Amino acid sequence: MSLRVAVQMDPLAGINIDGDSTFAIMLGAQARGHRLWHYGPEALSYRDRRVWAAARPVTVQRVKGDHARLGEPEMLDLGRDTDVVWMRQDPPFDLGYITATHLLERVQGETLVVNDPEAVRNAPEKVWVLDYARFMPPTCVTRSLDVARAFLAAHGEIVVKPLHGNGGKAIFKVGRDGANLSALLEVFNMTWREPHMLQAFLPEVAEGDKRIVFVDGEVTGAINRLPGAGEIRSNLAVGGSAEKTALTAAEEEICAALGPELKARGLLFVGIDVIGGKWLTEINVTSPTGIVAIDRFNGTDTPARIWDAIEGRLR
């Protein structure tokens, strides 16, 4: 089965081919004889009741500085000219991202969009996770300084982060004295119109923040991400490092609760974050990462699992 695959993502020139999950997925597709096109979300158009993308055919190879060779742009009718559309651009999960889901939803049924755009739109990573609050640390979502002060008083130390942020950006720890809380809320309220997420600080984060990856509702692997020196954030994008890990009993319980719902929603490739072996903090459905490190530690081939799942659905 040779598939026509359009990949909606950020510019290829700037990716780190040693760790980029989308690049690994593209390599896996190419190894199976699938044809690839690349385009950014700004290249989407709706015309004549069809959804189009100005896309460029691309071949990829694991050669730094020469990892992607792009052809001339073509106007693809995403419903008729492709078999699979990957939505893999990085957040922020803003109106541009949401609009892309609305457009791609119009081709779902003619072609397979991964992850399902309606499900992505309805599962913001720090909002949908509230459905699983029984697994989460104490959490508050607010713009109110009074509510934030009460939450800090109840939990001693907290972290404050944007509700629709990504990659560990703009995550702050506030100590017991709350000296900077009012100034921080002022900045957050001026920067974002939506409320913000506050969570009890988990000292266990010093021992790592585990990324667990699902493919079609099944766990395919995990890594433990350790914070860099002087950091509370363990995201690889902000200097964290990865180590091999296994799941705890509590993490297996979380995965058992999540897996069937991910599959039912058409969320084929998902990453969740767990701290301290038991505290679920995020469900990443927009552009999850981590599979390159997982495969390196475990000798697995997650892109192959992903393409097996896609090909199975198309059959």
Side-chain angles (χ1 to χ4, degrees):
M1 175 188 294
S2 178
L3 302 178
R4 302 162 298 171
V5 181
V7 184
Q8 177 177 301
M9 62 179 291
D10 300 308
L12 277 165
I15 66 172
N16 172 16
I17 66 170
D18 292 330
D20 191 272
S21 294
T22 309
F23 185 74
I25 291 168
M26 293 171 76
L27 284 172
Q30 197 171 263
R32 293 182 177 220
H34 303 329
R35 297 168 60 198
L36 297 170
W37 283 262
H38 169 274
Y39 70 94
E42 71 283 351
L44 285 171
S45 300
Y46 175 84
R47 175 174 54 84
D48 301 329
R49 296 188 293 178
R50 308 296 303 172
V51 178
W52 304 80
R56 301 174 69 181
V58 62
T59 58
V60 291
Q61 57 184 355
R62 197 173 288 285
V63 178
K64 289 185 178 180
D66 188 23
H67 58 274
R69 297 183 178 181
L70 293 156
E72 292 300 314
E74 305 173 10
M75 286 302 294
L76 294 183
D77 179 326
L78 292 181
R80 293 172 177 161
D81 297 336
T82 71
D83 302 298
V84 181
V85 175
W86 271 98
M87 186 166 58
R88 287 288 301 174
Q89 77 270 23
D90 288 338
F93 190 75
D94 55 13
L95 281 174
Y97 211 110
I98 291 169
T99 301
T101 68
H102 282 294
L103 290 174
L104 292 181
E105 189 179 358
R106 295 176 181 276
V107 303
Q108 189 77 301
E110 289 184 278
T111 190
L112 176 64
V113 183
V114 184
N115 284 325
D116 181 275
E118 180 183 6
V120 168
R121 187 173 64 249
N122 292 335
E125 298 170 352
K126 295 183 183 70
V127 178
W128 183 38
V129 70
L130 300 175
D131 287 359
Y132 299 91
R134 65 191 184 277
F135 300 123
M136 297 179 68
T139 297
C140 174
V141 178
T142 189
R143 290 175 61 88
S144 166
L145 178 58
D146 288 341
V147 171
R149 281 174 169 159
F151 187 74
L152 175 64
H155 298 289
E157 295 180 302
I158 64 173
V159 293
V160 182
K161 50 190 174 181
L163 196 63
H164 298 303
N166 70 297
K169 300 181 184 72
I171 296 178
F172 293 86
K173 179 184 176 184
V174 178
R176 295 177 182 276
D177 61 6
N180 293 315
L181 182 60
S182 62
L184 185 60
L185 261 289
E186 286 174 8
V187 172
F188 270 49
N189 284 345
M190 287 189 294
T191 305
W192 295 286
R193 296 187 63 183
E194 63 270 17
H196 325 297
M197 177 168 275
L198 289 65
Q199 290 183 319
F201 174 69
L202 302 174
E204 300 99 310
V205 74
E207 301 168 7
D209 179 354
K210 194 172 294 185
R211 164 57 56 88
I212 304 171
V213 167
F214 292 77
V215 174
D216 211 18
E218 300 290 333
V219 174
T220 60
I223 52 170
N224 193 42
R225 301 172 298 180
L226 297 166
E231 276 281 1
I232 62 167
R233 303 174 298 173
S234 55
N235 306 70
L236 302 184
V238 293
S241 59
E243 65 178 8
K244 187 172 182 176
T245 190
L247 299 191
T248 66
E251 288 164 344
E252 289 177 350
E253 182 184 357
I254 293 169
C255 294
L258 276 169
E261 185 65 18
L262 299 177
K263 187 177 179 69
R265 289 184 178 224
L267 293 168
L268 189 142
F269 179 26
V270 174
I272 68 171
D273 297 335
V274 181
I275 295 175
K278 61 181 180 178
W279 298 113
L280 175 66
T281 59
E282 292 188 19
I283 305 172
N284 298 276
V285 304
T286 51
S287 184
T289 62
I291 63 175
V292 175
I294 288 172
D295 289 344
R296 183 170 65 247
F297 285 126
N298 297 336
T300 49
D301 189 348
T302 304
R305 291 281 298 270
I306 289 170
W307 286 109
D308 284 346
I310 288 173
E311 291 169 9
R313 288 194 179 202
L314 291 174
R315 292 192 190 99

